[in-house]
Coordinates of all heavy atoms in Angstrom, one line a residue:
M1 N 119.9 97.7 117.8 CA 118.5 97.6 117.7 C 118.1 96.2 117.3 O 118.7 95.6 116.4 CB 118.0 98.6 116.6 CG 118.2 100.0 116.9 SD 117.5 101.1 115.7 CE 118.5 100.8 114.3
Y2 N 117.0 95.7 117.8 CA 116.5 94.3 117.6 C 115.1 94.3 117.3 O 114.3 94.8 118.1 CB 116.9 93.4 118.8 CG 118.4 93.3 118.8 CD1 119.2 94.3 119.5 CD2 119.1 92.3 118.2 CE1 120.6 94.2 119.5 CE2 120.5 92.2 118.2 CZ 121.2 93.2 118.9 OH 122.6 93.1 118.8
G3 N 114.7 93.6 116.2 CA 113.3 93.6 115.8 C 112.5 92.4 116.3 O 113.0 91.3 116.6
L4 N 111.2 92.8 116.5 CA 110.2 91.8 117.0 C 109.0 91.8 116.1 O 108.6 92.9 115.6 CB 109.8 92.2 118.4 CG 110.8 92.3 119.5 CD1 110.3 93.0 120.8 CD2 111.5 91.0 119.8
Q5 N 108.4 90.6 116.0 CA 107.1 90.5 115.3 C 106.0 90.5 116.4 O 106.2 89.9 117.4 CB 107.0 89.2 114.5 CG 108.0 89.1 113.4 CD 107.9 87.8 112.7 OE1 107.1 86.9 113.1 NE2 108.7 87.6 111.7
V6 N 104.9 91.2 116.1 CA 103.8 91.2 117.0 C 102.5 90.8 116.2 O 102.3 91.4 115.1 CB 103.6 92.6 117.6 CG1 102.5 92.6 118.6 CG2 104.9 93.2 118.1
S7 N 101.8 89.8 116.7 CA 100.6 89.4 116.0 C 99.4 89.3 116.9 O 99.6 89.5 118.1 CB 100.9 88.0 115.3 OG 101.3 87.1 116.2
N8 N 98.3 89.0 116.4 CA 97.0 88.9 117.0 C 96.6 90.3 117.5 O 95.9 90.5 118.5 CB 96.9 88.0 118.2 CG 95.5 87.6 118.6 OD1 94.7 87.4 117.7 ND2 95.2 87.4 119.9
L9 N 96.9 91.4 116.7 CA 96.5 92.7 117.0 C 95.1 93.0 116.7 O 94.6 92.5 115.7 CB 97.4 93.7 116.3 CG 98.9 93.8 116.7 CD1 99.7 94.7 115.8 CD2 99.1 94.2 118.1
H10 N 94.4 93.8 117.5 CA 93.1 94.3 117.2 C 93.1 95.1 115.9 O 94.1 95.8 115.6 CB 92.6 95.1 118.4 CG 91.1 95.4 118.3 ND1 90.7 96.6 117.7 CD2 90.1 94.8 118.9 CE1 89.4 96.6 117.8 NE2 89.0 95.6 118.5
W11 N 92.0 95.2 115.2 CA 92.0 96.0 114.0 C 92.1 97.5 114.2 O 92.5 98.2 113.2 CB 90.7 95.7 113.1 CG 89.4 96.1 113.8 CD1 88.7 95.3 114.7 CD2 88.7 97.3 113.6 NE1 87.6 96.0 115.1 CE2 87.6 97.3 114.5 CE3 89.0 98.5 112.9 CZ2 86.7 98.3 114.6 CZ3 88.1 99.5 113.0 CH2 86.9 99.4 113.8
E12 N 91.9 98.0 115.4 CA 92.1 99.4 115.7 C 93.5 99.7 116.1 O 93.8 100.9 116.4 CB 91.1 99.8 116.8 CG 89.7 99.8 116.3 CD 88.7 100.4 117.4 OE1 89.1 100.6 118.5 OE2 87.5 100.5 117.0
A13 N 94.4 98.7 116.3 CA 95.7 99.0 116.8 C 96.5 99.8 115.8 O 96.4 99.7 114.6 CB 96.4 97.7 117.1
D14 N 97.4 100.7 116.3 CA 98.3 101.4 115.4 C 99.7 101.5 116.0 O 99.9 101.0 117.1 CB 97.7 102.9 115.1 CG 97.7 103.8 116.3 OD1 98.3 103.5 117.4 OD2 97.0 104.8 116.2
W15 N 100.6 102.1 115.3 CA 102.0 102.1 115.8 C 102.2 102.8 117.1 O 103.0 102.5 117.9 CB 103.0 102.7 114.7 CG 102.8 104.1 114.4 CD1 102.0 104.7 113.5 CD2 103.5 105.2 115.1 NE1 102.2 106.1 113.6 CE2 103.1 106.4 114.5 CE3 104.5 105.2 116.1 CZ2 103.6 107.6 114.9 CZ3 105.0 106.4 116.5 CH2 104.5 107.6 115.9
R16 N 101.4 103.9 117.4 CA 101.5 104.6 118.6 C 101.2 103.7 119.8 O 101.8 103.8 120.8 CB 100.6 105.8 118.6 CG 101.0 106.9 117.6 CD 99.9 108.0 117.5 NE 100.2 108.9 116.4 CZ 99.8 108.7 115.1 NH1 99.2 107.6 114.7 NH2 100.1 109.5 114.2
M17 N 100.2 102.9 119.7 CA 99.8 101.9 120.7 C 100.9 100.9 121.0 O 101.2 100.6 122.2 CB 98.5 101.2 120.4 CG 97.3 102.2 120.4 SD 95.9 101.3 119.7 CE 94.8 102.7 119.4
L18 N 101.5 100.5 119.9 CA 102.7 99.5 120.1 C 103.8 100.2 120.8 O 104.4 99.7 121.7 CB 103.1 99.0 118.8 CG 102.3 97.9 118.1 CD1 103.0 97.5 116.8 CD2 102.0 96.8 119.0
K19 N 104.1 101.5 120.4 CA 105.2 102.2 121.1 C 104.9 102.4 122.6 O 105.9 102.1 123.4 CB 105.3 103.6 120.4 CG 106.5 104.4 121.0 CD 106.6 105.8 120.4 CE 107.7 106.5 121.1 NZ 107.8 107.9 120.8
V20 N 103.8 102.7 122.9 CA 103.4 102.9 124.4 C 103.5 101.5 125.1 O 104.1 101.4 126.2 CB 102.0 103.5 124.6 CG1 101.6 103.5 126.0 CG2 102.0 105.0 124.1
H21 N 102.9 100.5 124.5 CA 102.9 99.2 125.2 C 104.3 98.6 125.3 O 104.7 98.2 126.4 CB 102.0 98.2 124.3 CG 101.6 97.0 125.0 ND1 100.8 97.0 126.1 CD2 101.9 95.7 124.8 CE1 100.6 95.8 126.5 NE2 101.3 94.9 125.8
F22 N 105.1 98.7 124.3 CA 106.5 98.1 124.4 C 107.4 99.1 125.1 O 108.4 98.6 125.7 CB 107.0 97.8 123.0 CG 106.5 96.5 122.4 CD1 105.2 96.5 121.9 CD2 107.2 95.4 122.4 CE1 104.7 95.3 121.5 CE2 106.7 94.2 122.0 CZ 105.4 94.1 121.5
G23 N 107.1 100.4 125.2 CA 107.9 101.3 126.0 C 107.9 101.0 127.5 O 108.7 101.5 128.2
T24 N 107.0 100.2 127.9 CA 106.9 99.8 129.3 C 108.1 98.9 129.7 O 108.4 98.7 130.9 CB 105.6 99.1 129.7 OG1 105.5 97.9 129.0 CG2 104.4 100.0 129.5
V25 N 108.8 98.3 128.7 CA 109.9 97.4 129.0 C 111.2 97.9 128.5 O 112.2 97.2 128.7 CB 109.6 95.9 128.5 CG1 108.4 95.4 129.2 CG2 109.5 95.9 127.0
G26 N 111.2 99.0 127.7 CA 112.5 99.5 127.2 C 112.3 100.5 126.1 O 111.2 100.9 125.8
E27 N 113.4 100.9 125.5 CA 113.4 101.9 124.5 C 112.9 101.4 123.1 O 113.4 100.4 122.7 CB 114.8 102.5 124.3 CG 114.8 103.6 123.2 CD 116.2 104.1 122.9 OE1 117.2 103.5 123.4 OE2 116.3 105.1 122.2
V28 N 111.8 102.0 122.6 CA 111.3 101.6 121.3 C 111.9 102.5 120.2 O 111.7 103.7 120.2 CB 109.8 101.7 121.3 CG1 109.2 101.4 119.9 CG2 109.2 100.8 122.3
K29 N 112.7 101.9 119.4 CA 113.3 102.7 118.3 C 112.3 103.0 117.2 O 112.3 104.0 116.6 CB 114.5 101.9 117.7 CG 115.7 101.8 118.7 CD 116.3 103.2 118.9 CE 117.6 103.0 119.7 NZ 118.2 104.3 119.8
S30 N 111.4 102.0 116.9 CA 110.4 102.2 115.9 C 109.3 101.1 116.0 O 109.5 100.1 116.7 CB 111.0 102.1 114.5 OG 111.6 100.9 114.2
A31 N 108.2 101.4 115.5 CA 107.0 100.5 115.6 C 106.2 100.7 114.3 O 106.1 101.8 113.8 CB 106.2 100.8 116.8
N32 N 105.6 99.6 113.8 CA 104.8 99.7 112.7 C 103.7 98.6 112.8 O 104.0 97.5 113.1 CB 105.6 99.4 111.4 CG 104.9 99.5 110.1 OD1 104.0 100.4 110.0 ND2 105.1 98.6 109.2
V33 N 102.5 99.0 112.4 CA 101.4 98.0 112.3 C 101.0 98.0 110.8 O 100.8 99.0 110.2 CB 100.1 98.5 113.1 CG1 98.9 97.6 112.8 CG2 100.5 98.5 114.6
V34 N 100.9 96.8 110.2 CA 100.6 96.6 108.8 C 99.1 96.9 108.7 O 98.3 96.3 109.4 CB 101.0 95.2 108.3 CG1 100.6 95.0 106.9 CG2 102.5 95.0 108.5
M35 N 98.8 97.8 107.8 CA 97.4 98.2 107.6 C 96.8 97.7 106.2 O 97.6 97.6 105.3 CB 97.3 99.7 107.6 CG 97.8 100.3 108.9 SD 96.9 99.8 110.3 CE 96.8 101.4 111.2
D36 N 95.5 97.6 106.2 CA 94.8 97.2 104.9 C 94.5 98.5 104.2 O 94.8 99.6 104.6 CB 93.6 96.3 105.2 CG 92.5 97.0 105.9 OD1 92.4 98.2 106.0 OD2 91.6 96.3 106.3
E37 N 93.8 98.3 103.0 CA 93.5 99.5 102.2 C 92.4 100.4 102.9 O 92.2 101.6 102.4 CB 93.0 99.0 100.8 CG 91.7 98.2 100.9 CD 91.9 96.7 101.2 OE1 93.1 96.3 101.4 OE2 90.9 96.0 101.2
H38 N 91.8 100.0 104.0 CA 90.8 100.8 104.7 C 91.4 101.5 105.9 O 90.7 102.1 106.7 CB 89.6 100.0 105.1 CG 89.0 99.3 103.9 ND1 88.2 100.0 103.0 CD2 89.0 98.0 103.5 CE1 87.8 99.1 102.1 NE2 88.2 97.9 102.4
G39 N 92.7 101.3 106.1 CA 93.4 101.9 107.3 C 93.2 101.1 108.6 O 93.4 101.6 109.7
R40 N 92.8 99.9 108.4 CA 92.6 99.0 109.6 C 93.9 98.0 109.7 O 94.4 97.6 108.7 CB 91.4 98.2 109.5 CG 90.1 99.0 109.6 CD 88.9 98.0 109.6 NE 87.7 98.8 109.7 CZ 86.5 98.3 109.6 NH1 86.4 97.0 109.4 NH2 85.5 99.1 109.8
S41 N 94.2 97.7 110.9 CA 95.3 96.8 111.2 C 95.0 95.4 110.5 O 93.8 94.9 110.6 CB 95.5 96.6 112.7 OG 96.3 95.4 112.9
K42 N 96.0 94.8 109.9 CA 95.9 93.5 109.4 C 96.1 92.4 110.4 O 96.1 91.3 110.2 CB 96.8 93.3 108.2 CG 96.4 94.0 106.9 CD 97.3 93.5 105.8 CE 96.8 94.0 104.5 NZ 97.6 93.4 103.4
G43 N 96.4 92.9 111.7 CA 96.5 92.0 112.8 C 98.0 91.7 113.2 O 98.2 90.9 114.0
F44 N 98.9 92.3 112.5 CA 100.3 92.1 112.9 C 101.1 93.4 112.6 O 100.7 94.3 111.9 CB 100.9 90.9 112.1 CG 101.0 91.1 110.6 CD1 102.2 91.5 110.1 CD2 100.0 90.9 109.8 CE1 102.4 91.7 108.7 CE2 100.1 91.1 108.4 CZ 101.3 91.4 107.9
G45 N 102.3 93.4 113.2 CA 103.2 94.5 113.1 C 104.6 94.2 113.6 O 104.9 93.0 113.8
F46 N 105.4 95.2 113.7 CA 106.8 95.0 114.0 C 107.3 96.2 114.9 O 106.9 97.3 114.8 CB 107.7 95.1 112.7 CG 107.2 94.0 111.7 CD1 106.3 94.4 110.7 CD2 107.7 92.7 111.8 CE1 105.9 93.4 109.8 CE2 107.2 91.8 110.9 CZ 106.3 92.1 109.9
V47 N 108.1 95.8 115.9 CA 108.7 96.7 116.8 C 110.2 96.5 116.8 O 110.7 95.4 116.8 CB 108.1 96.5 118.2 CG1 108.8 97.4 119.2 CG2 106.6 96.8 118.2
V48 N 111.0 97.6 116.9 CA 112.4 97.5 117.0 C 112.8 98.1 118.4 O 112.5 99.3 118.7 CB 113.2 98.3 115.9 CG1 114.7 98.3 116.2 CG2 112.9 97.7 114.5
M49 N 113.4 97.3 119.2 CA 113.9 97.7 120.5 C 115.3 98.2 120.5 O 116.0 97.9 119.5 CB 113.7 96.6 121.5 CG 112.3 96.0 121.7 SD 111.1 97.2 122.2 CE 111.6 97.4 123.9
G50 N 115.7 99.0 121.5 CA 117.0 99.6 121.5 C 118.2 98.6 121.8 O 119.3 98.9 121.4
S51 N 117.9 97.5 122.4 CA 119.0 96.5 122.7 C 118.5 95.1 122.7 O 117.3 94.9 122.8 CB 119.7 96.8 124.0 OG 118.7 96.5 125.1
V52 N 119.4 94.2 122.6 CA 119.0 92.8 122.7 C 118.4 92.4 124.0 O 117.4 91.6 124.1 CB 120.2 91.8 122.3 CG1 121.2 91.9 123.4 CG2 119.7 90.4 122.1
E53 N 118.8 93.0 125.1 CA 118.3 92.8 126.4 C 116.8 93.3 126.5 O 116.0 92.6 127.1 CB 119.1 93.5 127.5 CG 120.5 93.0 127.7 CD 121.5 93.5 126.7 OE1 121.2 94.5 125.9 OE2 122.6 92.9 126.5
E54 N 116.6 94.5 125.9 CA 115.2 95.0 125.9 C 114.3 94.1 125.0 O 113.1 93.9 125.3 CB 115.2 96.5 125.4 CG 115.8 97.4 126.4 CD 116.1 98.8 125.8 OE1 116.3 98.9 124.6 OE2 116.0 99.7 126.6
A55 N 114.8 93.7 123.9 CA 114.0 92.8 123.0 C 113.7 91.5 123.8 O 112.5 91.0 123.7 CB 114.8 92.5 121.7
K56 N 114.6 90.9 124.5 CA 114.4 89.7 125.2 C 113.4 89.9 126.3 O 112.4 89.1 126.5 CB 115.7 89.2 125.8 CG 115.6 87.9 126.6 CD 116.9 87.5 127.1 CE 116.7 86.2 128.0 NZ 118.0 85.7 128.6
K57 N 113.5 91.1 127.0 CA 112.5 91.4 128.1 C 111.1 91.6 127.5 O 110.1 91.2 128.1 CB 113.0 92.7 128.8 CG 112.1 93.0 130.0 CD 112.7 94.2 130.7 CE 111.8 94.5 131.9 NZ 112.2 95.7 132.6
A58 N 111.0 92.2 126.3 CA 109.7 92.4 125.6 C 109.1 91.1 125.3 O 107.9 90.9 125.6 CB 109.9 93.2 124.4
V59 N 109.9 90.1 124.8 CA 109.3 88.8 124.5 C 108.8 88.1 125.8 O 107.7 87.6 125.8 CB 110.3 87.9 123.7 CG1 109.8 86.5 123.6 CG2 110.6 88.5 122.3
E60 N 109.7 88.1 126.8 CA 109.3 87.4 128.0 C 108.2 88.1 128.8 O 107.4 87.4 129.4 CB 110.6 87.4 128.9 CG 111.7 86.6 128.4 CD 113.0 86.7 129.2 OE1 113.1 87.6 130.1 OE2 114.0 86.0 128.9
T61 N 108.1 89.4 128.7 CA 107.1 90.1 129.5 C 105.8 90.4 128.7 O 104.7 90.3 129.3 CB 107.7 91.5 129.9 OG1 108.9 91.3 130.6 CG2 106.7 92.2 130.8
L62 N 105.9 90.7 127.5 CA 104.7 91.2 126.7 C 104.0 90.1 125.9 O 102.9 90.2 125.5 CB 105.1 92.3 125.8 CG 105.6 93.6 126.6 CD1 106.0 94.7 125.6 CD2 104.6 94.0 127.6
N63 N 104.7 88.9 125.6 CA 104.0 87.9 124.9 C 102.9 87.4 125.8 O 103.1 87.0 127.0 CB 105.0 86.7 124.7 CG 104.4 85.6 123.8 OD1 103.7 85.9 122.9 ND2 104.7 84.4 124.1
G64 N 101.7 87.4 125.2 CA 100.5 87.0 126.0 C 99.8 88.2 126.7 O 98.7 88.0 127.2
S65 N 100.5 89.4 126.8 CA 99.9 90.5 127.4 C 98.7 91.0 126.5 O 98.6 90.7 125.4 CB 100.9 91.6 127.6 OG 101.3 92.2 126.4
K66 N 97.8 91.8 127.1 CA 96.6 92.2 126.4 C 96.8 93.7 125.9 O 97.2 94.6 126.6 CB 95.4 92.1 127.3 CG 95.1 90.6 127.5 CD 93.8 90.4 128.2 CE 93.5 88.9 128.3 NZ 92.1 88.7 128.8
L67 N 96.3 93.8 124.7 CA 96.2 95.1 124.0 C 94.8 95.1 123.4 O 94.5 94.2 122.6 CB 97.3 95.3 123.0 CG 97.5 96.6 122.4 CD1 97.9 97.6 123.4 CD2 98.6 96.6 121.3
F68 N 93.9 96.0 123.8 CA 92.5 96.0 123.4 C 91.9 94.7 123.9 O 91.0 94.1 123.2 CB 92.3 96.1 121.9 CG 92.4 97.5 121.3 CD1 93.4 97.9 120.6 CD2 91.4 98.4 121.6 CE1 93.5 99.2 120.0 CE2 91.4 99.7 121.0 CZ 92.5 100.0 120.3
D69 N 92.2 94.2 125.0 CA 91.7 93.0 125.6 C 91.9 91.7 124.7 O 91.2 90.8 124.9 CB 90.2 93.1 125.9 CG 89.9 94.1 127.0 OD1 90.7 94.1 128.0 OD2 88.9 94.8 127.0
R70 N 92.9 91.8 123.9 CA 93.3 90.6 123.1 C 94.8 90.3 123.5 O 95.6 91.1 123.5 CB 93.3 90.9 121.6 CG 91.9 91.2 121.1 CD 91.9 91.4 119.6 NE 92.2 90.2 118.9 CZ 92.1 90.0 117.6 NH1 91.7 91.1 116.9 NH2 92.3 88.9 117.0
P71 N 95.0 89.0 123.7 CA 96.4 88.6 124.0 C 97.3 88.7 122.7 O 96.9 88.1 121.7 CB 96.3 87.2 124.5 CG 95.0 86.7 124.0 CD 94.1 87.9 123.8
I72 N 98.3 89.4 122.8 CA 99.2 89.6 121.7 C 100.3 88.5 121.7 O 100.7 88.0 122.7 CB 99.8 91.0 121.5 CG1 100.7 91.3 122.8 CG2 98.7 92.0 121.3 CD1 101.5 92.6 122.6
V73 N 100.8 88.2 120.5 CA 101.9 87.3 120.4 C 103.2 88.1 120.0 O 103.2 88.8 119.0 CB 101.6 86.2 119.3 CG1 102.8 85.2 119.2 CG2 100.4 85.4 119.7
V74 N 104.2 88.0 120.8 CA 105.5 88.7 120.6 C 106.6 87.7 120.3 O 106.8 86.8 121.1 CB 105.9 89.6 121.7 CG1 107.1 90.4 121.5 CG2 104.7 90.5 122.1
A75 N 107.3 87.8 119.2 CA 108.4 86.9 118.9 C 109.5 87.6 118.2 O 109.3 88.8 117.7 CB 107.9 85.8 117.9
Y76 N 110.7 87.1 118.2 CA 111.8 87.7 117.5 C 111.5 87.7 116.0 O 111.0 86.7 115.4 CB 113.1 86.9 117.7 CG 113.5 87.0 119.2 CD1 113.3 85.8 120.0 CD2 114.0 88.1 119.8 CE1 113.6 85.9 121.3 CE2 114.3 88.2 121.1 CZ 114.1 87.0 121.9 OH 114.4 87.0 123.2
D77 N 111.9 88.8 115.3 CA 111.7 88.9 113.9 C 112.9 88.2 113.3 O 114.0 88.7 113.3 CB 111.7 90.4 113.5 CG 111.4 90.6 112.0 OD1 111.3 89.6 111.2 OD2 111.3 91.8 111.6
L78 N 112.7 87.1 112.6 CA 113.7 86.3 112.1 C 114.2 86.7 110.7 O 114.9 86.0 110.0 CB 113.3 84.8 112.1 CG 112.9 84.3 113.4 CD1 112.5 82.8 113.3 CD2 114.1 84.4 114.4
E79 N 113.8 87.9 110.2 CA 114.1 88.4 108.9 C 115.6 88.6 108.7 O 116.1 88.5 107.6 CB 113.4 89.8 108.7 CG 113.4 90.3 107.3 CD 112.7 89.5 106.3 OE1 111.8 88.7 106.7 OE2 112.9 89.7 105.1
G80 N 116.3 88.9 109.8 CA 117.7 89.1 109.7 C 118.4 88.7 111.0 O 117.8 88.2 111.9
P81 N 119.8 88.8 111.0 CA 120.5 88.3 112.2 C 120.5 89.3 113.3 O 121.4 90.0 113.6 CB 121.9 88.2 111.6 CG 122.0 89.2 110.6 CD 120.6 89.3 110.0
G82 N 119.3 89.3 114.0 CA 119.2 90.1 115.2 C 118.6 91.5 114.9 O 118.1 92.2 115.8
E83 N 118.7 92.0 113.7 CA 118.3 93.3 113.4 C 117.3 93.2 112.2 O 117.7 92.6 111.2 CB 119.4 94.2 113.1 CG 119.3 95.6 113.6 CD 120.5 96.4 113.4 OE1 121.5 96.1 114.0 OE2 120.3 97.4 112.6
S84 N 116.2 93.8 112.3 CA 115.2 93.8 111.2 C 115.6 94.8 110.1 O 116.0 95.9 110.4 CB 113.8 94.1 111.7 OG 112.9 94.1 110.6
S85 N 115.4 94.4 108.9 CA 115.7 95.3 107.8 C 114.4 95.8 107.2 O 114.4 96.5 106.2 CB 116.4 94.6 106.7 OG 115.7 93.4 106.2
R86 N 113.3 95.6 107.9 CA 112.0 96.1 107.4 C 111.8 97.6 107.6 O 112.4 98.2 108.5 CB 110.9 95.4 108.2 CG 110.8 93.9 108.0 CD 109.7 93.4 108.9 NE 109.7 91.9 109.0 CZ 109.1 91.1 108.1 NH1 108.5 91.7 107.1 NH2 109.2 89.8 108.2
P87 N 111.1 98.2 106.7 CA 110.8 99.7 106.9 C 109.9 99.9 108.1 O 108.9 99.1 108.3 CB 110.1 100.1 105.6 CG 109.5 98.9 105.1 CD 110.4 97.7 105.5
F88 N 110.1 100.9 108.9 CA 109.3 101.2 110.0 C 108.8 102.6 110.1 O 109.5 103.5 109.5 CB 110.1 100.9 111.3 CG 110.4 99.4 111.6 CD1 111.5 98.9 111.1 CD2 109.4 98.7 112.2 CE1 111.7 97.5 111.3 CE2 109.7 97.3 112.4 CZ 110.8 96.8 112.0
S89 N 107.7 102.8 110.7 CA 107.2 104.2 111.0 C 108.1 104.8 112.1 O 108.6 104.1 112.9 CB 105.8 104.2 111.5 OG 104.9 103.6 110.5
P90 N 108.2 106.1 112.0 CA 109.0 106.8 113.1 C 108.3 106.5 114.4 O 107.1 106.6 114.5 CB 109.0 108.2 112.7 CG 107.9 108.4 111.8 CD 107.7 107.1 111.1
A91 N 109.0 106.3 115.5 CA 108.5 106.0 116.8 C 108.3 107.3 117.6 O 107.9 107.2 118.8 CB 109.3 105.0 117.5
S92 N 108.6 108.4 117.1 CA 108.4 109.6 117.9 C 107.6 110.6 117.2 O 107.2 110.5 116.1 CB 109.8 110.2 118.2 OG 110.5 110.4 117.1

């Protein structure tokens, strides 16, 4: 599993939307959108893909793609060596 950071998210984005969007390029193990105290997106989140190949494809394909008509930024999560240790919402 390999973690990605996702930024420039719309305030209405949630983990389900990330799962669907990233599911177009591979298996999504988990997805999480960081929310504020009002339940709105803080504009960033994290996705864990099933393999390094799928993570690479997600960065190459989805970086700059639009979610809610906003171009999102997709990058590798540098929190750990290839695998994120952050807590995630269940992706199913």
Side-chain angles (χ1 to χ4, degrees):
M1 297 185 295
Y2 293 86
L4 302 170
Q5 296 178 358
V6 185
S7 58
N8 200 37
L9 293 173
H10 189 273
W11 65 272
E12 291 183 355
D14 66 16
W15 70 269
R16 290 170 192 88
M17 293 170 193
L18 285 183
K19 180 181 178 189
V20 169
H21 196 64
F22 281 77
T24 63
V25 297
E27 179 185 11
V28 176
K29 292 290 188 179
S30 61
N32 183 41
V33 173
V34 178
M35 303 296 222
D36 68 13
E37 62 277 2
H38 304 289
R40 293 183 178 177
S41 165
K42 285 189 170 186
F44 67 98
F46 305 93
V47 174
V48 174
M49 301 300 290
S51 70
V52 67
E53 294 83 12
E54 291 170 330
K56 182 178 178 183
K57 185 175 181 183
V59 171
E60 292 171 353
T61 306
L62 299 178
N63 186 39
S65 66
K66 291 191 177 185
L67 193 60
F68 277 111
D69 291 327
R70 292 181 74 168
I72 60 172
V73 177
V74 181
Y76 297 105
D77 185 356
L78 302 178
E79 189 66 17
E83 218 176 296
S84 177
S85 58
R86 297 176 188 274
F88 289 92
S89 298
S92 55

